[in-house]
Amino acid sequence: MKIYIFLFFVFIVVVAGAYWAGGRVAAQKCNARAAEVAVKQNQEIIKTMGAINEKTFNTGVCDIRRVLREKYTIAE
């Protein structure tokens, strides 16, 4: 009878250990997915910034002055 009780407690410990290990694996997968999403968002931001900076860099001072002169005059 004592062996059955001992085996029952060993079984409970094994089940609890498997549950805990599964929780840890799930948490790590969740962290990996969150990191992957953050990296993708940062890449999109960098692409957007690159496009904006490219337009700014390729716009000369003469173009900026011309656009400002056309849009904002004393008449307005």
Side-chain angles (χ1 to χ4, degrees):
M1 185 69 173
K2 291 181 182 180
I3 291 180
Y4 291 124
I5 293 173
F6 177 74
L7 290 176
F8 176 73
F9 283 119
V10 169
F11 176 74
I12 295 297
V13 169
V14 169
V15 169
Y19 179 78
W20 179 79
R24 296 300 307 155
V25 169
Q28 289 175 349
K29 284 183 181 179
C30 182
N31 289 340
R33 274 188 259 130
E36 186 177 326
V37 168
V39 167
K40 285 182 182 179
Q41 287 177 344
N42 284 340
Q43 288 174 345
E44 297 223 2
I45 290 170
I46 289 170
K47 284 180 186 177
T48 304
M49 288 174 57
I52 292 170
N53 289 339
E54 180 183 351
K55 290 179 184 177
T56 305
F57 183 74
N58 292 333
T59 303
V61 175
C62 295
D63 290 339
I64 294 172
R65 287 183 182 163
R66 180 185 52 78
V67 169
L68 289 174
R69 199 175 301 120
E70 289 174 358
K71 286 188 177 181
Y72 305 105
T73 61
I74 296 174
E76 291 179 359

